[in-house]
Amino acid sequence: MTSVTQILERKPENVSVNTNPSHDLYLVHEQVPSSGPKECLIHVRATGICGSDVHFWKHGRIGDMVVCGQNGLGHESAGVVIQVGKEVTRFKPGDRVALECGVPCSKPTCTFCRTGRYNACPDVVFFSTPPYHGTLRRYHVHPEDWLHPLPDQLNYEEGSLLEPLSVALAGIDRAELRLGDPLVICGAGPIGLVTLLAAHAAGAAPIVITDIDENRLKTAQQLVPRVRPLRVGKEDSDAKELGNRIIRTLGEEAKLILECTGVESSIHAGIFATRFGGSVFVIGVGKASQTIPFMHLSAKEIDLRFQYRYHDTYPKAITLVEQGLIDLKPLVTHRFSLDDGLAAFAAASDPSARAVKVQILDD
């Protein structure tokens, strides 16, 4: 195994991709950090670009989370341990790991941490969410408790994709998807597609997926041939009529809508496609304030529910990929080196690039 000294001699600088309140995107070159007693120094080998990374760069905020200074991006990462703190017991140099990037306070006085809903911890450090720098960097120090061993069957790219898979699994768990549930997934972006893979593994049937991009719908069919794609466009400005189109494509009203866009018009269409007593579960992130068809929801007893990140999903995600129930490999369409990180973001933010998941790799 290559020693930490050899790695640092070969790549002595810590390179990261950053943004700022002026919406600049740039590389930063810094010294390699040192790990604390309960931390591991990770050579990050693969990081996926999330829509939130692009949003922080382009718009400077997501809701109340605002870029106020220099901010490192990235939170979908996997890598190899190259150094451990003196109190670390679970890992050693050379171990391959996935990084869970939401680190809660874990204090016994925190109700959310104590009851297992640590995604709601008010003092959580979520790497890449301002003011915390992200993991899209060559070297990153991470708490031992929030690293997950990667089985030999999973490569670094798959390890980084465990993060968006965790988002999908949290949504499916909270939405209480069951075998044979007629399902609609709104949006065939990266989260929509990984949600499709998870819903297929969970036995939802039939499944419709919607999107404005024909290429993404073709990708959805390649991933899950039995899915029924439905392209939506500017002509679908009437949410009720689009809801009826969704119903016709599904063959019945949906028991469950998994809304992965956060777009108000898409949420409305999903609501109008839902059966009495069904659920619309919003996974996507959208505008801070939106309207809802209140009386339609009321008269049909439709539950409108939401999700904030995830908790306790990584072990399950690893098992599902390791056992072959979910194949994440086809999601990666574009690969760039860390030094070409700016070009990677250009591809991730340009619809003409037809990217599903852009990954930044460092060997």
Side-chain angles (χ1 to χ4, degrees):
M1 186 198 78
T2 305
S3 70
V4 61
T5 301
Q6 290 172 312
I7 293 172
L8 295 178
E9 285 178 348
R10 184 165 57 92
K11 295 189 173 184
E13 283 190 312
N14 195 17
V15 182
S16 61
V17 180
N18 290 248
T19 189
N20 61 26
S22 299
H23 311 293
D24 299 315
L25 189 73
Y26 51 96
L27 298 181
V28 171
H29 298 259
E30 298 174 311
Q31 291 184 329
V32 178
S34 299
S35 56
K38 297 182 179 180
E39 297 174 327
C40 297
L41 178 62
I42 310 298
H43 178 196
V44 181
R45 297 291 301 275
T47 301
I49 297 178
C50 176
S52 66
D53 295 317
V54 175
H55 213 81
F56 280 131
W57 163 38
K58 294 278 191 177
H59 304 285
R61 68 185 303 154
I62 297 176
D64 294 332
M65 298 173 285
V66 181
V67 176
C68 296
Q70 179 171 292
N71 204 93
L73 299 169
H75 57 267
E76 302 176 3
S77 294
V80 59
V81 176
I82 61 173
Q83 194 175 68
V84 299
K86 61 182 181 181
E87 296 180 25
V88 170
T89 59
R90 294 175 55 234
F91 298 100
K92 63 184 185 305
D95 286 346
R96 300 163 62 254
V97 292
L99 285 63
E100 184 170 351
C101 285
V103 180
C105 72
S106 299
K107 296 177 182 176
T109 53
C110 177
T111 299
F112 300 107
C113 290
R114 190 175 66 248
T115 58
R117 302 187 69 179
Y118 60 80
N119 56 314
C121 173
D123 296 320
V124 66
V125 173
F126 199 96
F127 295 109
S128 80
T129 298
Y132 306 107
H133 290 305
T135 57
L136 210 177
R137 54 187 58 236
R138 177 162 292 143
Y139 303 113
H140 169 76
V141 170
H142 205 77
E144 174 191 23
D145 290 344
W146 299 96
L147 292 170
H148 300 272
L150 277 183
D152 292 340
Q153 295 93 324
L154 273 66
N155 61 30
Y156 292 116
E157 293 184 10
E158 291 171 293
S160 71
L161 286 165
L162 295 172
E163 202 280 341
L165 178 55
S166 285
V167 174
L169 293 179
I172 284 176
D173 280 349
R174 276 184 42 77
E176 299 178 344
L177 178 68
R178 297 290 183 266
L179 284 165
D181 281 353
L183 171 69
V184 175
I185 299 172
C186 298
I191 291 297
L193 292 175
V194 77
T195 297
L196 172 64
L197 290 171
H200 171 61
I207 305 174
V208 164
I209 191 166
T210 69
D211 204 273
I212 60 174
D213 188 325
E214 191 68 40
N215 182 67
R216 287 185 168 183
L217 293 175
K218 289 179 181 177
T219 300
Q221 279 195 297
Q222 291 168 357
L223 293 172
V224 179
R226 70 181 178 90
V227 73
R228 302 174 187 179
L230 178 63
R231 193 193 72 80
V232 298
K234 294 180 180 178
E235 66 277 10
D236 296 303
S237 57
D238 187 310
K240 285 186 179 181
E241 179 51 37
L242 178 54
N244 287 331
R245 281 187 63 206
I246 293 171
I247 292 169
R248 290 194 294 271
T249 304
L250 189 65
E252 58 185 303
E253 292 180 311
K255 181 179 178 183
L256 176 63
I257 306 287
L258 292 175
E259 214 298 318
C260 298
T261 73
V263 175
E264 184 174 308
S265 59
S266 179
I267 296 171
H268 286 194
I271 289 169
F272 288 120
T274 305
R275 68 167 63 164
F276 187 97
S279 297
V280 176
F281 196 91
V282 182
I283 298 174
V285 175
K287 294 187 302 182
S289 296
Q290 301 191 23
T291 62
I292 59 171
F294 178 85
M295 283 310 302
H296 184 86
L297 287 164
S298 175
K300 296 195 75 171
E301 290 188 2
I302 295 171
D303 293 332
L304 180 60
R305 304 179 65 195
F306 299 87
Q307 171 183 333
Y308 186 64
R309 294 175 179 159
Y310 45 80
H311 64 86
D312 302 306
T313 50
Y314 265 75
K316 181 187 293 187
I318 291 169
T319 298
L320 290 169
V321 178
E322 182 184 22
Q323 296 294 318
L325 291 169
I326 293 178
D327 183 8
L328 297 173
K329 292 189 183 76
L331 294 174
V332 182
T333 55
H334 293 64
R335 297 171 176 86
F336 294 83
S337 70
L338 181 56
D339 290 330
D340 289 329
L342 306 190
F345 270 81
S349 60
D350 181 2
S352 67
R354 295 188 171 184
V356 176
K357 179 56 68 175
V358 176
Q359 291 230 337
I360 295 178
L361 310 176
D362 195 60
D363 59 21

